Amino acid sequence: MFGSASKAVFHLIARSRTLKRLASRYGMRKPSSFARRFIAGETAAEAIEAARAVESRGMTVTMDLLGESITSLDKADAATRDYIAVVDAMIASGVERNISLKLTQLGLDVDKANTVDNLRKILERAEPAGFFVRIDMENSPYTEVTLEIFETLWRHGHRGIGVVLQSALHRSEQDLQTVNALGARVRLVKGAYKEPKAVAHQTKAEVDAAYARMLKTLITKGHDAAIATHDPAMIELARTIARDHHVAPDRFEFQMLYGVRRDLQAMLVKAGYRVRVYVPFGREWFPYFMRRLGERPANVMFAIRGIFGERG
Ligand SMILES: Cc1cc2nc3c(=O)[nH]c(=O)nc-3n(C[C@H](O)[C@H](O)[C@H](O)COP(=O)(O)OP(=O)(O)OC[C@H]3O[C@@H](n4cnc5c(N)ncnc54)[C@H](O)[C@@H]3O)c2cc1C
């Protein structure tokens, strides 16, 4: 994990309109453009093609139509329709039926009730077709409401949904107990956002220690655990915990981001583990892309070289 100061810088840069315009013009233009390392394409067709390639390497996928922080009801409703179209395209294509979405993409900043309606509309289309829908976790102002919406839907009988918990947040160990008690599925991550001291661990060592503790609870007491990390130490620990507690490899899965640590992905498949790749796509890729840069300094040089290469 990159330092929290640089995470903050990247979150600021992510709001820059000029940079967004520049990046959007050059980032996905050609198959070799720099953003394509992390973003599978701008259309569902391109993303499905990328998903097929991932599946051909023995892994599964979760598809993410990128978008977040929507500011009007109309846009939220349009994003919902777009998601339903993605569900339909995935059904037609035969790729695995698994999606990830963000509640601010469905209008959480505008109207909570409408967001729940929008999520229900997606679930009504996706669940009967056998989809699993993961609600991504955004930054801490949304933690409580995201878990509340999830729990409401769960209590209304929706079973094709799951949540994400971030080890960076102080509250997450307690949240893990709550979600485990419901019998629901958790994706465990370290957390991609710069968070204040009042709610979150500030050092990598603390975030990692919390991740390790949560790993043990998730693997031994969770349901279909999703261990989402590229950190070799955490992956090794997960394997050890599972072995020591006789949890078979088909009872949990590793998850990694498209374009990140493909060597580790392949190694885990070869070792007999389930690996799911998070495949993001769509035109609103800039904030997601900036979070990936914020996680690793080498990615910044890679992107800068890409921008100048494209313009030159
Ligand atoms: C499938 C999946 C879903 C996620 N969903 C969410 C979510 O809903 N909410 C949320 O807050 N966060 C989410 N994240 C992001 C997560 O919180 C972390 O920010 C991210 O995974 C980096 O942390 P790490 O566990 O890989 O470990 P780190 O300690 O950050 O990194 C360990 C090693 O992994 C490699 N690595 C990590 N990131 C990158 C990168 N961007 N590029 C290249 N190499 C890298 C490097 O080799 C690094 O040394 C998700 C991550 C994954 C894999």
Side-chain angles (χ1 to χ4, degrees), residues 1-2 7 37-38 62 102 135-139 164 166 187-193 204 208 211 227-232 234 255-257 259-261 264 276-278 291-296 299:
M1 199 168 64
F2 205 7
K7 262 192 182 176
R37 156 137 183 229
F38 298 114
T62 183
K102 291 183 176 51
I135 305 172
D136 283 349
M137 188 57 82
E138 298 176 73
N139 47 336
V164 179
Q166 301 153 327
R187 172 200 292 154
L188 179 60
V189 301
K190 291 187 187 177
Y193 301 87
K204 176 172 165 59
D208 285 357
Y211 196 96
I227 301 155
T229 181
H230 316 92
D231 184 342
M234 294 301 141
Q255 297 192 349
M256 295 192 209
L257 300 175
V260 179
R261 292 305 306 259
L264 259 186
R276 184 177 301 282
V277 175
Y278 185 105
R291 285 196 289 277
R292 302 295 76 84
L293 295 195
E295 278 156 6
R296 194 161 173 259
N299 291 341

Side-chain angles (χ1 to χ4, degrees), residues 20 24 28 39 41-43 65-66 281-287:
K20 182 173 179 183
S24 302
M28 298 287 289
I39 318 292
E42 291 202 332
T43 65
L65 172 60
L66 292 166
F281 70 99
R283 297 185 55 204
E284 292 301 319
W285 50 265
F286 188 67

